[in-house]
Amino acid sequence: MNNWGFANQKTIAAICVVSWGLIGSNWALAQDSGKELFQQRCAACHTVGEGRRVGPDLVGVNDRRSASWLLKFITASQSVIKSGDPTAIGLFKEYQIVMPDQSLSGEQIKVILDYIKEPGGGQEASAVTATAPEATDQEIAKGQDLFQGKIRFSGGGPSCISCHNVKNEAVFGGGILAKELTTVYSRVGEQGLRAILTNPPFPVMKAAFDGKPILDDETHALVGFLKLADKENAFHQPREYGWIMFGSGCVGVIALLSFYSFVGRRRKKYSVNQEIYDRQIRSE
Amino acid sequence: MDIRSQISMVFHLDKCIGCHTCSVACKNIWTDRKGAEYMWWNNVETKPGTGYPTKWEDQGIYHGGWEKNGDGISLRGAGKRKGLLNIFHNPSLPVIDDYYEPFTYKYLDLIESAAGDDQPTARPVSMITGKPIDIKMGPNWDDDLSGTPDYARNDPNLKKLSAAEQEAMFQLERMAFFYLPRICNHCLNPACVASCPSGAIYKRGEDGVVLINQNVCRAWRMCVTACPYKKSYYNWHTGKSEKCILCYPRIEAGYAPACMHSCVGRIRYLGVILYDADRIHEVASASEGELINRHMDILVDPFDPTVIASAKKNGIADSTIQAAQNSPTYKFVKEWGLALPLHAEFRTLPMLFYVPPLLPVMATVKEVRNRKQTEKLGPISKVWDNDWLYDTSTEEIWGTIDQARFPLKYLANMFSAGDESKIKERLKKLMAVRIYRRWKTVGDITEKKAMDALREVGYTPEIADNVYYLTSLAKFDDRFVIPAAHREHAIEMLEFTGDKKGSTGFGFKEDTMKRGL
Ligand code: SF4
Ligand code: SF4
């Protein structure tokens, strides 16, 4: 009987998993409206009619470029640049950043482009988070802690410092795996930052935060911190450790080694017979 | 008074022929395993010599054993504070080259090599790396090498001898050596037990055998440092330390340990000695000159009624007390006062005692008339036509002891913490029994002289006969008096046997699998 009970539990669990998956996919489908997709995928870097951010303003983009060019560029911008397309090269030169490849279907891209074409389309989407209050000192401190990993993200995502660095007195030796973020605030703007944090458009970052979203108040705190870092950067140049860091590491290692050899100076290091062995004739 | 029982041992050094049978017996049973190849729980050393591991007696190198500090004692190289400080970096460990790198030969090459101009050879290969090596050393590398500059003259026991005394020892005409077989002493105050940070080593309550629990050992190797006899070894394969277990499975079954069973010279004796555990600390911290006497005091008379009463109170079985009363080791150590512990100054109170060697008796070569003797010989006997006699008799009874080939100081450094009178006393007793037997069997010594000799060492002819019997004629059951193990009592001390009643009988060491999975 027991066995049957066990099988039942398993089945129930399996049903739960499958149905949860189905609910999830339904939800994903529901997002396929142009507005939502735009918010999710594009708004981090682009506005419609509100000026450039990380990427160009998309107002009237449908008139400027052909639909097929757009399709190619959105799915694989780098290959378009490599193919020598002058427009693409021009864009890259101007913005100094490649647009991440979007894993969108042709259908979805069309929906987004249609949405931009709509009169007033895109504006509300870009304006969603426009009216956030200025971060308090407390929040900035929290943002700093979040950045450094002193506080964990409640969603469980990795802390920023594991990949990014910020030149700031408070942050010591950040990661160099991804972009340097000292001036990100002026580069991307407040809304851009917010959008990147809520919906990372970059593949690696997206994967890292997949299923571990950064909550709104955390985003707010981080943006506050990055804004401050940007501002402070303009005033003073924080210390650049560079070789000093490496050098002090070497000195530290030498100091530690000599400390341990001092502690172990009376250690028995050789065989009592070493002197006899040294005299023995060896075959090689 | 807290009487406990200890299985103790006596090795009679005058009888050891240095055949290493004991070592091989032990190796075959216990240490013929990966990681244990270099260990010799039983080894036989030539003295003077450096031993195995090299210079193990020199605690300036290995920091083993106890040292006196104030009123008490503390471990020299291990213990709570020193042990903790050095726990990841034990500074006085012997390295493999202090023992020797174990090797075997590629024997298969002898029969499998292709035909060629040269005789095939079997190359030595290391048993640790499996690669060909140059043999640098073996466990008895200095066997019989008395006088050699690298070994004999580096013997740590020579340190306290003057240069002239040392030189005299190694003159060609006087050159001598003797064998020193060693196993774990199953000490009363074992440094190995005291040093173990994991508490893996224990002295068995019922018979005092010192064992390392292989499940608890955590490879700190403090015991390797702490044991001044270097009788705890680290197995590099299992990551556990190991030591002589006094063949306890054999003892429990009533057999003598393998080394003793196989001993060709029949030098080994094993028996129970009762001791007073209350006084261990006091005895171990005695001053150096007092150590041996106090050690002898703590070994109590098994016929004394108060001792018997206290032993019974401690749950020592009647059969064990009886074994103690018949114990050959008690006779050698206490009754006859012939045996001494090795290096008492390490203060571990070893329970393996040695009858010191009388060494080759000094002899003279005299010119005599051999004619008459020669005429008596039969036609097939070999006849020497010179007139020399290798004369071992002596006019002066104790002359030979004082002119012994080794200065007594050398033996005293090994067996009596430097006290020459103790060694002399034992040697005189051995000599007296010899003189007594010579009067009886050869007859070239007068009865008076023999009796005088006995009287001087405090022996009666009866004792001399007993010493002679146990030394030369003793049978197996006289040499090894092994009490019944009474494992059932020992187990009852640890767990309630009623728990198992009715649930075992056709058993498995591990639980069998349950049905339905
Ligand atoms: S001889 Fe060494 S290993 Fe044996 S009990 Fe004594 S201290 Fe321990
Ligand atoms: S077997 Fe006996 S005689 Fe031979 S070496 Fe060992 S102790 Fe000595």
Side-chain angles (χ1 to χ4, degrees):
Chain A
M1 273 332 271
N2 226 347
N3 277 345
W4 282 107
F6 182 63
N8 276 339
Q9 279 171 15
K10 260 191 187 168
T11 323
I12 292 168
I15 290 170
C16 287
V17 168
V18 168
S19 41
W20 189 75
L22 287 174
I23 293 164
S25 60
N26 275 338
W27 182 64
L29 279 176
Q31 280 191 322
D32 270 4
S33 81
K35 180 180 165 190
E36 308 240 340
L37 272 174
F38 183 84
Q39 260 174 17
Q40 209 190 336
R41 302 299 189 105
C42 318
C45 304
H46 300 283
T47 62
V48 182
E50 294 190 357
R52 54 182 279 183
R53 265 186 202 163
V54 184
D57 191 337
L58 295 184
V59 73
V61 72
N62 288 297
D63 308 327
R64 274 183 273 143
R65 319 262 185 251
S66 73
S68 64
W69 187 91
L70 279 171
L71 189 67
K72 254 198 293 173
F73 193 84
I74 291 170
T75 43
S77 68
Q78 290 193 65
S79 59
V80 180
I81 297 172
K82 276 198 200 113
S83 71
D85 183 288
T87 331
I89 294 174
L91 279 171
F92 177 65
K93 287 221 172 101
E94 186 179 346
Y95 290 93
Q96 288 299 323
I97 188 168
V98 281
M99 174 166 155
D101 295 347
Q102 301 296 327
S103 55
L104 291 165
S105 66
E107 196 61 30
Q108 284 171 317
I109 292 176
K110 201 164 164 295
V111 172
I112 296 174
L113 292 176
D114 286 346
Y115 168 70
I116 295 172
K117 232 186 281 177
E118 280 172 29
Q123 266 133 28
E124 39 175 336
S126 335
V128 182
T129 50
T131 53
E134 191 71 10
T136 63
D137 285 352
Q138 235 173 355
E139 278 169 326
I140 291 177
K142 183 183 172 199
Q144 182 180 326
D145 288 346
L146 282 169
F147 187 92
Q148 290 179 284
K150 287 189 186 158
I151 307 178
R152 298 205 58 172
F153 285 116
S154 37
S159 56
C160 319
I161 201 164
S162 27
C163 300
H164 298 281
N165 189 19
V166 158
K167 252 194 249 163
N168 187 291
E169 302 279 68
V171 180
F172 191 78
I176 48 165
L177 292 172
K179 270 236 170 252
E180 220 276 352
L181 296 185
T182 320
T183 54
V184 72
Y185 187 84
S186 28
R187 265 189 283 142
V188 182
E190 175 149 353
Q191 280 144 37
L193 260 180
R194 239 173 252 283
I196 292 176
L197 285 170
T198 23
N199 259 314
F202 312 107
V204 175
M205 190 163 165
K206 191 180 168 70
F209 286 92
D210 193 28
K212 303 164 189 163
I214 302 175
L215 300 189
D216 278 349
D217 59 326
E218 290 168 343
T219 309
H220 189 60
L222 273 175
V223 170
F225 166 66
L226 289 171
K227 183 175 178 185
L228 182 77
D230 193 353
K231 206 166 83 192
E232 282 183 349
N233 186 48
F235 294 119
H236 57 84
Q237 205 58 32
R239 271 183 76 180
E240 179 47 270
Y241 290 102
W243 282 100
I244 299 177
M245 185 88 148
F246 180 74
S248 49
C250 290
V251 171
V253 166
I254 291 169
L256 269 182
L257 284 181
S258 27
F259 172 71
Y260 284 121
S261 25
F262 177 75
V263 169
R265 70 199 177 284
R266 289 224 296 268
R267 186 165 184 254
K268 183 174 167 304
K269 298 185 191 74
Y270 306 101
S271 157
V272 174
N273 292 312
Q274 197 55 48
E275 188 247 335
I276 300 178
Y277 295 161
D278 289 343
R279 270 186 278 131
Q280 288 177 347
I281 296 165
R282 259 157 285 232
S283 55
E284 281 105 57
Chain B
M1 201 180 260
D2 177 11
I3 300 300
R4 307 212 184 147
S5 98
Q6 164 84 37
I7 300 234
S8 66
M9 302 138 277
V10 164
F11 290 2
H12 197 307
L13 294 185
D14 260 338
K15 298 174 74 184
C16 179
I17 59 171
C19 61
H20 301 276
T21 308
C22 45
S23 306
V24 172
C26 177
K27 166 117 310 215
N28 280 340
I29 294 191
W30 299 120
T31 57
D32 201 6
R33 287 169 288 128
K34 190 170 178 195
E37 300 96 341
Y38 81 94
M39 298 178 197
W40 292 85
W41 293 355
N42 180 108
N43 74 304
V44 183
E45 302 172 357
T46 297
K47 285 284 156 189
T50 44
Y52 158 90
T54 309
K55 294 198 190 165
W56 61 270
E57 289 155 296
D58 189 342
Q59 303 311 339
I61 300 174
Y62 294 109
H63 301 111
W66 302 89
E67 62 190 347
K68 198 161 162 53
N69 73 25
D71 283 345
I73 48 171
S74 58
L75 289 171
R76 200 175 269 118
K80 284 212 180 78
R81 200 177 54 83
K82 279 179 220 159
L84 195 61
L85 273 177
N86 291 322
I87 198 154
F88 296 113
H89 196 254
N90 194 345
S92 323
L93 279 178
V95 295
I96 191 72
D97 275 349
D98 290 328
Y99 299 96
Y100 75 108
E101 185 165 350
F103 52 86
T104 182
Y105 295 91
K106 284 166 93 181
Y107 293 110
L108 227 50
D109 287 359
L110 294 180
I111 45 176
E112 289 190 343
S113 344
D117 290 341
D118 303 311
Q119 192 85 299
T121 53
R123 282 193 81 177
V125 284
S126 161
M127 285 171 98
I128 293 179
T129 61
K131 303 216 174 78
I133 56 165
D134 289 318
I135 299 168
K136 290 196 282 192
M137 170 96 170
N140 55 336
W141 203 238
D142 54 352
D143 221 18
D144 302 352
L145 290 184
S146 181
T148 46
D150 277 341
Y151 302 106
R153 287 175 202 237
N154 279 331
D155 186 326
N157 297 300
L158 295 174
K159 267 192 185 155
K160 288 180 202 146
L161 269 61
S162 70
E165 280 172 320
Q166 292 189 29
E167 216 28 64
M169 263 176 84
F170 297 119
Q171 274 169 19
L172 203 53
E173 318 78 62
R174 293 172 67 98
M175 191 95 73
F177 58 82
F178 64 95
Y179 299 106
L180 180 73
R182 301 200 299 122
I183 65 174
C184 163
N185 300 293
H186 299 279
C187 311
L188 291 187
N189 182 33
C192 56
V193 176
S195 70
C196 180
S198 313
I201 314 187
Y202 60 103
K203 189 168 176 66
R204 236 174 37 161
E206 65 265 38
D207 55 10
V209 174
V210 176
L211 297 170
I212 300 178
N213 185 336
Q214 297 289 297
N215 289 329
V216 182
C217 174
R218 291 286 174 274
W220 298 116
R221 283 172 275 177
M222 286 297 161
C223 56
V224 180
T225 300
C227 172
Y229 302 91
K230 289 290 160 280
K231 278 297 170 192
S232 177
Y233 302 87
Y234 178 67
N235 182 318
W236 51 264
H237 179 62
T238 61
K240 311 274 172 174
S241 294
E242 301 176 1
K243 61 179 283 300
C244 160
I245 57 175
L246 201 61
C247 287
Y248 74 80
R250 287 176 62 93
I251 289 197
E252 282 168 15
Y255 295 114
C259 56
M260 312 210 175
H261 192 128
S262 62
C263 178
V264 175
R266 302 185 179 182
I267 80 155
R268 300 182 175 216
Y269 302 82
L270 179 117
V272 174
I273 292 186
L274 300 178
Y275 67 96
D276 181 3
D278 270 346
R279 282 155 63 196
I280 291 179
H281 184 258
E282 165 204 330
V283 171
S285 7
S287 71
E288 198 142 294
E290 276 291 287
L291 265 175
I292 303 255
N293 291 340
R294 304 293 283 277
H295 190 173
M296 296 294 145
D297 284 350
I298 203 179
L299 313 176
V300 291
D301 180 1
F303 292 99
D304 182 341
T306 55
V307 168
I308 294 177
S310 166
K312 286 198 172 160
K313 208 172 84 217
N314 267 357
I316 296 177
D318 287 352
S319 55
T320 309
I321 298 176
Q322 215 176 8
Q325 292 171 342
N326 286 331
S327 163
T329 55
Y330 185 76
K331 288 181 187 141
F332 269 115
V333 178
K334 285 278 284 193
E335 256 180 68
W336 303 334
L338 278 175
L340 287 167
L342 177 63
H343 288 301
E345 71 275 16
F346 297 160
R347 295 174 189 275
T348 62
L349 307 185
M351 285 305 269
L352 159 55
F353 301 89
Y354 292 87
V355 177
L358 209 40
L359 282 176
V361 181
M362 283 301 281
T364 45
V365 183
K366 276 201 263 190
E367 193 166 12
V368 287
R369 299 245 152 257
N370 273 345
R371 285 293 126 67
K372 279 227 179 79
Q373 189 68 21
T374 313
E375 275 157 19
K376 285 190 215 156
L377 294 173
I380 53 165
S381 38
K382 165 111 176 100
V383 174
W384 276 270
D385 41 13
N386 61 31
D387 288 334
W388 296 106
L389 175 71
Y390 183 76
D391 185 10
T392 53
S393 68
T394 158
E395 280 313 304
E396 223 194 307
I397 297 186
W398 310 123
T400 47
I401 289 179
D402 285 325
Q403 320 151 10
R405 294 198 185 181
F406 283 174
L408 285 180
K409 212 185 213 172
Y410 177 77
L411 290 178
N413 283 346
M414 287 179 72
F415 298 110
S416 60
D419 182 350
E420 285 172 52
S421 66
K422 291 209 180 67
I423 282 286
K424 195 163 169 182
E425 187 190 323
R426 265 93 186 160
L427 292 183
K428 271 189 172 179
K429 284 178 177 169
L430 291 172
M431 196 70 190
V433 175
R434 234 181 239 203
I435 292 171
Y436 169 77
R437 288 303 302 170
R438 184 146 178 158
W439 160 64
K440 277 213 155 169
T441 54
V442 184
D444 62 348
I445 289 176
T446 63
E447 183 177 357
K448 182 175 174 304
K449 201 169 168 181
M451 290 308 156
D452 283 349
L454 285 187
R455 195 168 320 112
E456 204 182 321
V457 299
Y459 274 8
T460 61
E462 202 195 341
I463 295 182
D465 281 334
N466 287 343
V467 173
Y468 162 66
Y469 176 81
L470 205 52
T471 307
S472 311
L473 306 175
K475 304 287 179 299
F476 223 81
D477 289 343
D478 303 316
R479 285 184 278 132
F480 311 118
V481 180
I482 301 165
H486 294 299
R487 280 301 288 161
E488 67 283 7
H489 293 177
I491 289 168
E492 276 167 4
M493 281 187 237
L494 294 173
E495 49 191 278
F496 179 57
T497 45
D499 288 349
K500 290 277 193 300
K501 189 163 161 49
S503 62
T504 52
F506 184 64
F508 297 88
K509 284 199 98 171
E510 282 151 21
D511 283 348
T512 45
M513 229 186 277
K514 294 279 171 292
R515 263 189 308 165
L517 261 174

